[in-house]
Amino acid sequence: MPMPAPLTGVVPPVCTPLTPDREVDVPSLLRLVDHLVGGGVDGLFVLGSSSEAAYLTDRQRRLVVESVVGHVSGRLPVLAGAIDMTTPRVLDHVRYVTEAGADAVVATAPFYTRTHPAEIARHYRLIASRCSVPVFAYDLPVAVHSKLGAESVLELAAEGVLAGLKDSSGDEGGFRAVVTGVRAHPGITGFSVLTGSELVVDSALAMGADGAVPGLANVDPHGYVRLYRLCREGDWERARAEQERLCSLFGMVRVGDAGRMGGSSSALGAFKAALHLRGIITSPTTADPQIPLSPEETEGVGKFLAGAGLL
Amino acid sequence: MPMPAPLTGVVPPVCTPLTPDREVDVPSLLRLVDHLVGGGVDGLFVLGSSSEAAYLTDRQRRLVVESVVGHVSGRLPVLAGAIDMTTPRVLDHVRYVTEAGADAVVATAPFYTRTHPAEIARHYRLIASRCSVPVFAYDLPVAVHSKLGAESVLELAAEGVLAGLKDSSGDEGGFRAVVTGVRAHPGITGFSVLTGSELVVDSALAMGADGAVPGLANVDPHGYVRLYRLCREGDWERARAEQERLCSLFGMVRVGDAGRMGGSSSALGAFKAALHLRGIITSPTTADPQIPLSPEETEGVGKFLAGAGLL
Amino acid sequence: MPMPAPLTGVVPPVCTPLTPDREVDVPSLLRLVDHLVGGGVDGLFVLGSSSEAAYLTDRQRRLVVESVVGHVSGRLPVLAGAIDMTTPRVLDHVRYVTEAGADAVVATAPFYTRTHPAEIARHYRLIASRCSVPVFAYDLPVAVHSKLGAESVLELAAEGVLAGLKDSSGDEGGFRAVVTGVRAHPGITGFSVLTGSELVVDSALAMGADGAVPGLANVDPHGYVRLYRLCREGDWERARAEQERLCSLFGMVRVGDAGRMGGSSSALGAFKAALHLRGIITSPTTADPQIPLSPEETEGVGKFLAGAGLL
Amino acid sequence: MPMPAPLTGVVPPVCTPLTPDREVDVPSLLRLVDHLVGGGVDGLFVLGSSSEAAYLTDRQRRLVVESVVGHVSGRLPVLAGAIDMTTPRVLDHVRYVTEAGADAVVATAPFYTRTHPAEIARHYRLIASRCSVPVFAYDLPVAVHSKLGAESVLELAAEGVLAGLKDSSGDEGGFRAVVTGVRAHPGITGFSVLTGSELVVDSALAMGADGAVPGLANVDPHGYVRLYRLCREGDWERARAEQERLCSLFGMVRVGDAGRMGGSSSALGAFKAALHLRGIITSPTTADPQIPLSPEETEGVGKFLAGAGLL
């Protein structure tokens, strides 16, 4: 389907269910997509960080985007991550996700290399010039180890290079500068500013953001859709209550023992355990070399679900 | 050829010459290999950071390793980088570089993700279990944003998981702990400790390191080979003089304007400009999205070459 | 005056005007205090980061707190920073600011040293046990290089060790966890959660925060007081407009050339230039070794003032 | 005594023994000084990081410098740290340590603030212009969170602003650039380049450094003096063996449980436990808010001493 401009609403970064031997579990993936679509979300983002894109082989990535695009069949827009180190490698991903029918691509700044802001801008210009669908920038300093500046994002938006921003930087001041900059700039139209935060979606929407891309929406899409609607209706008090319920639920990402596993294992492990406990996916398996949650930690995830009324 | 155990001496991380339209320039690559072999180096490391591996597509990476392995034809060992974010993606690279005949693979810890030391160890164990040739760990915190601990490296060496370490961390205390730990540990044999530094090769060898993997050896292999021999002969005074000449030459990596380009562009751009000025490669082109050196900056590289007696 | 519990509203971190030879300019300081009190603020925070506390000698710090406490004379609460590296040194500052009549002290976690969260908690417990007035924690990772965890803050609040938090961390998720944690915890009463941000005061108050400590309130106290009132009245639309006006005004902190001076010089230099241009302080001098704004940069500050309707 | 120019040899950063109620234990301090002087060291550095200067009140700092200067009575040079956040505060410390008779002062770059390299240079120029004794720069990025550039150090050396550098940065490439730069620069005379590392003193001296300031020399001054002499005699093989023995001994700094205490507590606690076990100081007490070693951890320190032949 043609991308709405701007894209608005709740756009979950879709988890990638795996079989116990770590192949993409397509039936589980499609059940998860149905769960999200049934929850009322406005778009799907596959191959993002919450999708374990960093852990999937190219073959697996292709299978994910083809399966989801085919299954969704134009009912709502599908954005696909093109997560790799630098421009030439990102362009290879752009090629196959667009061939598979993705409605937009999402790319970070280069990582692993030591890159100047001018080179980051060049990176996005090169991608956009060779990409047939809209390009979203993905600001994720915790993974990429650089921050996209608000001025640079606005400049690329005004040039038509970028169609939107997924901001997972946690820098609310910079996020606000993009939101208000987009509104003030006569040359920018249809640009979508999305927060990647689970915890301050109400604040982001109050500032004027277009939507949210919360990993936790895999577990509770209805909650985020409700939150989005309450914000749009200006019912800030009930929005706050819903947001706080989701903040409590988000506590599950710390269920894994930090002395034993990394933050990715704990957070992605918790999301998958929750989807498994809710009966949506067949196995909570995460990709190598992540360490699985223990039975006690999985039980902890169950308590978070129960506390949020989801079990 | 079978890898010496331990691998010793000078093992340059081979630059990847590109044509002006950014395809691998195979004739230039082979001339560079001849230049290095003629300089007396003890092995070649392709697809490392100095090779712009982060910027090369999978197709280009394959072409590099196939071209070099075919050309070298067993005269000296060829190590190949398998640089990617996590275990499953690294394993894909391991597969094709070993199929192409690489004598060893070199892999970093996972990056982009938030990974625990126990997961890094698991990463190397999984790689080694599925790899037919020796595995070297590549410690490069400036790119990977985590540091391999000496104890973990020694444990993996004792298990036979790792065959060597390329340490580009700049942490001389930790490097020394690996060197002395390898020597002291009865269960570790044939393990190779290589410094990735250009600037303290003499110190590393004096500590007991096995060799060096200096990017600058692309430009001046004879210098590093000379330095290695002087150290092995215990002629520390002349070794120091040679090392200091190479330190001066290394100043070229800062020739690029830091207000205009990233550190990768400046350093890799300088190496390629030097190889171009010395007549070894046809074009100094660097990969996207790097910013090229200006004519004045290239002239600056020439001055470094002249100062080191190389022009 | 006895501290309100919780302290609410706008509590500016008061700039410290200096004479051209870098002594505390007490008449300017008292004019600034009058400007703030006249603007309707709810308390004053002296000797914080915006006060250049890091640059003031102990003698100068004493003069500041004595002058302000004496001048205010109980009309509104005066909080004083006790900014130093570790517990014993902080306790020396606590002693003289409380002797001078400060109504509360504000302390960061230890810095310069490598400190464990358990040691940070111990630090606050020791301070509180030897301090006759309420203790506020000051979370400022950009200066202190560690982050106060929400759980630790809540634990210290429940113990009665901390009376409040000034959060300048920029971590809105963690801030929200403190705000909702305070509300939910039956054992915490009178605890004040204040944002140190200039840019998301409306968001913080919408979450349930008690107030704000924005450096920019030196320049425009009326604006922040207005913003606070609009938020309290639930008029979020007009609050957002006021907040956005203040965000534009805050752009002044980047007026200084980053190639020539540090972020502290630019931000504090801009605040003082603005106070000077508004006729409130006699000289825009900043402390050593900061670099002063150029005439063109000062003119830039004037444009920000004009744009916000303040000149 | 007049400072030698350059200062050479082993200059331990003297620990500050405390009584159980955390006052300076002067008799223990003087015994420690005698232990160091008896060990053959070439100078003493009081009020550095290993001295817990960050934890000592101004009154305690004064007592330390007065006690040591009086006791040493000109037998060897005494350098004193002037560790504080910015220029005006550092100058207060400079005043009293020079009044107490320190032969040189040692100062870091500003910390807590966001400072530009040009402001750091200005900081040192201001200090030198108001200081009657030589000024040493102290490069300690782990505490100060900025790195002194080699070019800046050489420029300040050529201006006569700095008399020496204590480099605890761990950046051996940058250290070497200062060492060779000092040697090459016709305008620099008498400048002292000292490594703050415990682990690579032999490498530093082989590069041409003037001496070392190792915290571990509190525990084993004889070892470092022996190491220094072996290096000066060019007996690199025995130097390496001595250095490796000291590296093993240095393992004591990790004896404290990192899950329970910070790195400062573990390292300084181990040094003091070792001095206590060796009978040199009366109590192993460390300053607040550090967490003391457990009996088992102290026993671990004893094993390190035994392993190095010191018990």
Side-chain angles (χ1 to χ4, degrees):
Chain A
M1 72 171 290
M3 283 286 293
L7 176 66
T8 60
V10 176
V11 183
V14 185
C15 285
T16 308
L18 299 178
T19 63
D21 58 348
R22 295 191 171 79
E23 283 302 329
V24 176
D25 176 355
V26 175
S28 285
L29 175 60
L30 301 187
R31 278 200 305 276
L32 173 55
V33 165
D34 289 341
H35 162 68
L36 298 173
V37 174
V41 305
D42 301 281
L44 298 173
F45 171 32
V46 297
L47 303 182
S49 300
S50 298
S51 319
E52 296 177 273
Y55 301 91
L56 301 177
T57 65
D58 287 358
R59 183 180 55 76
Q60 292 175 325
R61 291 189 185 190
R62 260 171 245 228
L63 179 56
V64 166
V65 65
E66 286 168 2
S67 301
V68 172
V69 168
H71 186 69
V72 163
S73 191
R75 285 174 290 163
L76 74 180
V78 178
L79 296 78
I83 309 299
D84 217 314
M85 292 174 250
T86 60
T87 322
R89 294 185 63 80
V90 168
L91 284 171
D92 271 4
H93 297 286
V94 165
R95 204 162 300 123
Y96 71 71
V97 301
T98 53
E99 279 169 15
D103 299 301
V105 301
V106 184
T108 69
F111 50 93
Y112 187 92
T113 60
R114 290 173 291 149
T115 309
H116 189 274
E119 294 169 334
I120 297 174
R122 188 157 182 266
H123 171 74
Y124 282 117
R125 287 188 187 109
L126 286 166
I127 293 171
S129 73
R130 296 178 201 173
C131 179
S132 56
V133 298
V135 176
F136 282 64
Y138 188 177
D139 193 17
L140 186 67
V142 72
V144 170
H145 300 281
S146 70
K147 170 86 187 81
L148 298 179
E151 280 179 41
S152 181
V153 169
L154 292 169
E155 188 179 322
L156 294 168
E159 288 179 24
V161 165
L162 293 180
L165 170 71
K166 184 204 163 180
D167 186 326
S168 298
S169 70
D171 171 7
E172 297 306 299
F175 183 78
R176 181 162 224 156
V178 175
V179 168
T180 54
V182 165
R183 202 193 304 137
H185 197 303
I188 302 177
T189 53
F191 188 86
S192 175
V193 190
L194 308 171
T195 178
S197 172
E198 273 89 356
L199 302 174
V200 292
V201 173
D202 57 345
S203 306
L205 294 172
M207 286 177 194
D210 298 291
V213 189
L216 186 63
N218 281 279
V219 177
D220 190 4
H222 300 83
Y224 279 100
V225 168
R226 205 152 49 225
L227 171 58
Y228 179 76
R229 288 192 188 141
L230 289 166
C231 292
R232 282 291 168 259
E233 293 162 5
D235 187 348
W236 298 109
E237 204 163 330
R238 288 177 64 211
R240 184 172 88 169
E242 184 64 31
Q243 176 68 78
E244 290 179 0
R245 189 185 62 82
L246 291 163
C247 288
S248 295
L249 182 62
F250 189 66
M252 73 167 61
V253 299
R254 286 182 298 275
V255 82
D257 177 3
R260 207 168 58 84
M261 68 181 70
S264 297
S265 295
S266 179
L268 300 176
F271 289 170
K272 286 188 152 182
L275 289 169
H276 183 236
L277 289 168
R278 297 198 73 191
I280 296 158
I281 68 175
T282 301
S283 166
T285 305
T286 52
D288 285 326
Q290 292 172 95
I291 302 228
L293 298 185
S294 70
E296 293 71 31
E297 290 164 346
T298 300
E299 212 173 301
V301 172
K303 283 178 192 159
F304 279 101
L305 289 176
L310 295 178
L311 214 61
Chain B
M1 69 172 292
M3 283 287 292
L7 176 66
T8 60
V10 176
V11 184
V14 185
C15 285
T16 307
L18 299 179
T19 63
D21 59 348
R22 296 191 172 78
E23 282 303 329
V24 177
D25 176 354
V26 176
S28 286
L29 174 60
L30 301 186
R31 276 201 305 278
L32 173 56
V33 165
D34 289 342
H35 162 67
L36 298 173
V37 174
V41 304
D42 301 283
L44 297 173
F45 171 31
V46 298
L47 303 182
S49 301
S50 297
S51 319
E52 296 176 272
Y55 300 91
L56 301 176
T57 64
D58 286 357
R59 183 180 54 75
Q60 293 176 324
R61 291 189 186 192
R62 261 173 244 228
L63 179 56
V64 166
V65 66
E66 286 167 1
S67 301
V68 172
V69 168
H71 186 69
V72 163
S73 190
R75 285 174 291 162
L76 73 180
V78 177
L79 295 78
I83 309 299
D84 216 315
M85 290 173 252
T86 61
T87 321
R89 294 184 63 80
V90 168
L91 283 171
D92 271 3
H93 298 286
V94 164
R95 205 162 299 123
Y96 71 72
V97 300
T98 53
E99 280 168 14
D103 299 301
V105 301
V106 185
T108 69
F111 50 93
Y112 188 90
T113 60
R114 290 173 291 149
T115 309
H116 188 273
E119 294 169 334
I120 296 174
R122 189 159 183 265
H123 171 72
Y124 282 118
R125 287 189 187 109
L126 287 166
I127 293 171
S129 73
R130 296 177 201 176
C131 178
S132 56
V133 297
V135 177
F136 282 63
Y138 190 175
D139 193 18
L140 186 68
V142 72
V144 171
H145 300 282
S146 70
K147 170 85 188 82
L148 298 179
E151 278 179 41
S152 181
V153 169
L154 291 169
E155 189 178 323
L156 294 168
E159 289 179 23
V161 165
L162 292 180
L165 170 70
K166 186 207 163 180
D167 185 326
S168 298
S169 71
D171 171 7
E172 297 305 299
F175 183 76
R176 179 162 226 155
V178 175
V179 168
T180 55
V182 165
R183 203 193 302 137
H185 197 301
I188 302 178
T189 53
F191 188 85
S192 176
V193 190
L194 308 171
T195 177
S197 172
E198 273 87 359
L199 302 174
V200 292
V201 173
D202 56 346
S203 306
L205 294 173
M207 286 177 194
D210 297 291
V213 189
L216 186 63
N218 282 279
V219 177
D220 190 5
H222 300 82
Y224 279 101
V225 168
R226 207 154 44 226
L227 171 58
Y228 179 75
R229 289 192 188 143
L230 290 166
C231 292
R232 281 291 168 257
E233 293 162 3
D235 188 347
W236 298 109
E237 204 163 327
R238 288 177 63 210
R240 185 172 85 171
E242 183 65 31
Q243 177 68 79
E244 289 179 0
R245 189 186 63 82
L246 290 163
C247 288
S248 295
L249 182 62
F250 189 65
M252 72 168 62
V253 300
R254 287 182 296 275
V255 82
D257 176 3
R260 207 168 58 85
M261 68 181 71
S264 298
S265 296
S266 179
L268 300 176
F271 289 169
K272 287 190 151 181
L275 289 170
H276 183 236
L277 289 168
R278 296 199 73 191
I280 296 157
I281 68 174
T282 301
S283 165
T285 305
T286 52
D288 286 328
Q290 292 173 95
I291 301 227
L293 298 185
S294 70
E296 293 71 31
E297 290 163 346
T298 300
E299 212 175 303
V301 172
K303 283 176 192 160
F304 278 103
L305 289 177
L310 294 177
L311 214 63
Chain C
M1 70 173 289
M3 283 286 293
L7 176 66
T8 60
V10 177
V11 184
V14 185
C15 286
T16 308
L18 299 178
T19 63
D21 58 349
R22 296 190 171 79
E23 282 303 329
V24 176
D25 175 355
V26 175
S28 286
L29 175 60
L30 300 186
R31 277 201 305 277
L32 173 56
V33 166
D34 288 341
H35 162 68
L36 298 172
V37 174
V41 304
D42 302 282
L44 297 172
F45 171 31
V46 297
L47 302 182
S49 300
S50 297
S51 319
E52 295 176 273
Y55 300 91
L56 301 177
T57 65
D58 286 358
R59 185 181 52 77
Q60 292 176 324
R61 290 189 186 192
R62 262 172 244 229
L63 180 56
V64 165
V65 66
E66 286 167 3
S67 302
V68 172
V69 168
H71 187 69
V72 164
S73 190
R75 285 174 292 161
L76 73 181
V78 177
L79 295 79
I83 308 298
D84 216 314
M85 291 175 251
T86 61
T87 322
R89 294 184 63 80
V90 168
L91 283 171
D92 271 3
H93 297 286
V94 164
R95 203 162 301 122
Y96 71 72
V97 301
T98 52
E99 279 169 14
D103 300 300
V105 301
V106 184
T108 70
F111 50 93
Y112 187 91
T113 60
R114 290 172 292 150
T115 309
H116 188 273
E119 294 169 335
I120 297 174
R122 188 157 182 266
H123 170 73
Y124 283 117
R125 287 188 187 109
L126 287 165
I127 293 171
S129 73
R130 297 179 201 173
C131 179
S132 56
V133 298
V135 177
F136 282 63
Y138 189 176
D139 193 17
L140 186 67
V142 73
V144 170
H145 299 281
S146 71
K147 170 87 188 81
L148 297 180
E151 279 178 41
S152 181
V153 169
L154 292 169
E155 190 179 321
L156 294 168
E159 288 178 26
V161 166
L162 293 180
L165 170 71
K166 184 203 164 183
D167 185 326
S168 298
S169 70
D171 171 7
E172 296 306 298
F175 183 77
R176 180 161 225 156
V178 175
V179 168
T180 56
V182 165
R183 202 192 305 135
H185 198 301
I188 302 177
T189 53
F191 188 85
S192 175
V193 190
L194 307 171
T195 178
S197 172
E198 273 90 356
L199 303 174
V200 292
V201 173
D202 57 345
S203 306
L205 294 172
M207 286 178 195
D210 297 289
V213 189
L216 186 64
N218 282 279
V219 177
D220 190 5
H222 300 82
Y224 279 100
V225 168
R226 204 150 49 224
L227 171 58
Y228 180 76
R229 288 191 189 143
L230 290 166
C231 291
R232 282 290 168 257
E233 293 161 4
D235 188 347
W236 298 108
E237 204 163 331
R238 288 178 63 211
R240 183 171 89 170
E242 184 64 31
Q243 176 68 80
E244 290 179 0
R245 190 186 63 82
L246 290 163
C247 288
S248 295
L249 182 63
F250 189 66
M252 72 168 61
V253 300
R254 285 182 299 274
V255 83
D257 177 2
R260 207 168 57 85
M261 69 181 70
S264 297
S265 295
S266 179
L268 300 176
F271 289 170
K272 286 189 152 180
L275 289 169
H276 182 236
L277 289 168
R278 297 199 73 190
I280 296 157
I281 68 176
T282 302
S283 165
T285 305
T286 53
D288 286 326
Q290 291 173 98
I291 302 228
L293 298 185
S294 70
E296 292 72 30
E297 290 164 346
T298 300
E299 211 173 303
V301 172
K303 283 177 192 159
F304 278 102
L305 289 177
L310 294 178
L311 214 61
Chain D
M1 68 174 290
M3 282 287 293
L7 176 65
T8 60
V10 176
V11 184
V14 185
C15 286
T16 308
L18 298 178
T19 63
D21 58 348
R22 296 192 170 78
E23 282 303 330
V24 177
D25 175 354
V26 175
S28 286
L29 175 60
L30 302 187
R31 277 201 305 278
L32 173 55
V33 166
D34 289 341
H35 163 67
L36 298 174
V37 174
V41 305
D42 301 283
L44 297 172
F45 171 31
V46 298
L47 303 182
S49 301
S50 297
S51 319
E52 296 177 271
Y55 300 91
L56 301 177
T57 65
D58 287 358
R59 184 179 54 74
Q60 292 175 323
R61 290 189 185 191
R62 261 172 244 228
L63 180 56
V64 166
V65 66
E66 286 167 2
S67 302
V68 172
V69 167
H71 186 68
V72 163
S73 189
R75 286 176 290 164
L76 74 180
V78 177
L79 296 79
I83 308 299
D84 216 314
M85 289 174 253
T86 60
T87 322
R89 295 184 62 80
V90 168
L91 283 171
D92 272 3
H93 297 287
V94 165
R95 204 162 299 123
Y96 71 72
V97 300
T98 53
E99 280 169 13
D103 299 300
V105 301
V106 185
T108 69
F111 50 93
Y112 188 91
T113 60
R114 290 173 292 149
T115 309
H116 189 273
E119 294 168 335
I120 296 174
R122 188 158 183 265
H123 171 71
Y124 282 117
R125 288 189 186 107
L126 287 166
I127 292 171
S129 73
R130 297 179 201 173
C131 179
S132 56
V133 298
V135 177
F136 282 64
Y138 190 176
D139 193 18
L140 186 66
V142 73
V144 170
H145 299 282
S146 70
K147 168 87 189 81
L148 298 179
E151 280 179 39
S152 181
V153 169
L154 292 169
E155 189 179 322
L156 294 168
E159 288 179 24
V161 165
L162 292 181
L165 170 71
K166 186 207 163 180
D167 185 326
S168 298
S169 70
D171 172 7
E172 297 305 299
F175 183 76
R176 180 162 224 154
V178 175
V179 168
T180 55
V182 165
R183 202 193 304 137
H185 196 303
I188 303 178
T189 54
F191 188 85
S192 177
V193 190
L194 308 171
T195 178
S197 172
E198 274 87 358
L199 302 174
V200 292
V201 173
D202 57 346
S203 306
L205 294 172
M207 286 178 193
D210 297 292
V213 190
L216 186 64
N218 282 279
V219 177
D220 190 4
H222 300 83
Y224 279 100
V225 168
R226 206 153 45 225
L227 171 57
Y228 179 75
R229 288 191 188 144
L230 290 167
C231 291
R232 281 291 168 258
E233 294 162 3
D235 188 347
W236 297 109
E237 205 163 327
R238 288 177 63 209
R240 184 172 86 171
E242 184 64 31
Q243 176 69 80
E244 290 180 0
R245 189 186 63 82
L246 291 162
C247 288
S248 294
L249 182 62
F250 188 66
M252 73 168 61
V253 301
R254 286 182 297 276
V255 82
D257 177 2
R260 208 168 57 86
M261 68 181 71
S264 298
S265 296
S266 178
L268 301 176
F271 289 170
K272 287 190 152 181
L275 290 169
H276 182 236
L277 289 168
R278 297 199 73 192
I280 296 157
I281 68 175
T282 301
S283 165
T285 305
T286 52
D288 285 328
Q290 291 172 98
I291 302 231
L293 298 184
S294 70
E296 293 70 31
E297 289 163 346
T298 299
E299 211 174 304
V301 172
K303 283 177 191 158
F304 278 102
L305 289 176
L310 294 177
L311 214 63

